[in-house]
Amino acid sequence: MNVYLFDIDGTLISSGGAGKAALEAALASEFGICHVIDKVQLSGRTDRAILFDLVRHAGLGDAADAWGRLRRAYLRHLPDCLDRSSGRILPGIAEFLASVHGRDDVLLGLLTGNIRDGARIKLGHFGIDHYFTVGGFGDDHLDRDDVAREALREVRRRLSGAICLEQVWVIGDTPLDIRCARAIGARVAAVATGWHTLADLAVHQPDLLLRDFSEFRPLLGD
């Protein structure tokens, strides 16, 4: 069984800045706060870590309560921000999904820093959420390596433990995606469709380095 675990932003889709816009709108509508988000690193991190950093930088007091409020406000704003964005499915993704859809030797999943509901909203907006049946998400973890461990547990559960790590691929666009793949012993394909260049990603020695996902054929092993 070939298992493909995809990052979302910069790998499957470009949201056109919708995620960042939704966070900014959430901070403004829920707390009346602006100009905080640029103080926080977004790329490759979990939503839980990002939201806690925003809470800390904004000085919002009770972190758990503020995190919950900010999360709910973010999810409220996200659909409208996606509607107003210039987001798109990234090159090669639609072709890959179509090529493996229905195959009984392929399992598609997510390994994303997005919270589960945010991932569903983003992928649903682009009509590709139904392809992914397992995953690890950024609801409970600050560290992306822990998201990878969650994703692998879900894969093992789905396959009743029958899994060969040589057939598990993590696909992402950041060095953190490469690192988390190594943390679970999976192979990794790095794709330069996000913020990081081919040269940036090459330093971290992925198993496969792609300019964009239209070059996906080597992953199929057909």
Side-chain angles (χ1 to χ4, degrees), residues 40 45-54 67 138 141-143:
V40 173
R45 302 181 68 216
T46 71
D47 279 357
R48 187 172 185 85
I50 290 167
L51 292 176
F52 269 125
D53 275 2
L54 289 171
W67 184 88
H141 308 295
L142 297 176
D143 192 313

Side-chain angles (χ1 to χ4, degrees), residues 14-35:
S14 167
S15 74
K20 181 178 180 181
L23 283 173
E24 291 175 321
L27 285 164
S29 65
E30 194 69 17
F31 301 104
I33 292 172
C34 302
H35 310 301

Side-chain angles (χ1 to χ4, degrees), residues 76-151:
R76 285 199 308 272
H77 286 286
L78 184 56
D80 182 59
C81 290
L82 285 163
D83 286 340
R84 292 187 283 107
S85 77
S86 57
R88 61 195 176 99
I89 300 174
L90 288 168
I93 294 298
E95 292 80 2
F96 175 82
L97 296 176
S99 73
V100 300
H101 185 56
R103 285 178 51 161
D104 60 8
D105 63 339
V106 168
L107 179 66
L108 293 178
L110 299 169
L111 197 173
T112 175
N114 281 267
I115 54 178
R116 187 181 297 267
D117 288 341
R120 176 183 54 79
I121 291 169
K122 286 181 179 179
L123 296 183
H125 178 82
F126 294 99
I128 59 173
D129 55 319
H130 63 286
Y131 286 107
F132 303 97
T133 57
V134 296
F137 301 88
D139 298 75
D140 300 319
H141 308 295
L142 297 176
D143 192 313
R144 201 174 183 92
D145 291 1
D146 291 326
V147 179
R149 295 180 184 105
E150 177 190 336

Side-chain angles (χ1 to χ4, degrees), residues 7-11 40-50 111-114 122 137-138 141-148 170-181 194-196 201:
D7 173 53
I8 293 179
D9 297 287
T11 302
V40 173
Q41 178 188 342
L42 305 180
S43 176
R45 302 181 68 216
T46 71
D47 279 357
R48 187 172 185 85
I50 290 167
L111 197 173
T112 175
N114 281 267
K122 286 181 179 179
F137 301 88
H141 308 295
L142 297 176
D143 192 313
R144 201 174 183 92
D145 291 1
D146 291 326
V147 179
V170 172
I171 299 103
D173 67 295
T174 75
L176 291 176
D177 293 300
I178 300 171
R179 189 189 78 180
C180 78
W195 291 106
H196 297 273
L201 297 169

Side-chain angles (χ1 to χ4, degrees), residues 128-211:
I128 59 173
D129 55 319
H130 63 286
Y131 286 107
F132 303 97
T133 57
V134 296
F137 301 88
D139 298 75
D140 300 319
H141 308 295
L142 297 176
D143 192 313
R144 201 174 183 92
D145 291 1
D146 291 326
V147 179
R149 295 180 184 105
E150 177 190 336
L152 186 60
R153 283 194 299 271
E154 291 301 309
V155 169
R156 290 189 189 280
R157 187 175 295 117
R158 177 60 61 91
L159 300 179
S160 301
I163 180 175
C164 171
L165 288 175
E166 280 292 308
Q167 294 176 292
V168 178
W169 283 91
V170 172
I171 299 103
D173 67 295
T174 75
L176 291 176
D177 293 300
I178 300 171
R179 189 189 78 180
C180 78
R182 301 304 184 209
I184 60 171
R187 300 172 80 183
V188 56
V191 57
T193 45
W195 291 106
H196 297 273
T197 67
L198 283 168
D200 293 336
L201 297 169
V203 169
H204 300 273
Q205 299 182 314
D207 297 287
L208 190 60
L209 183 58
L210 308 175
R211 190 173 306 279

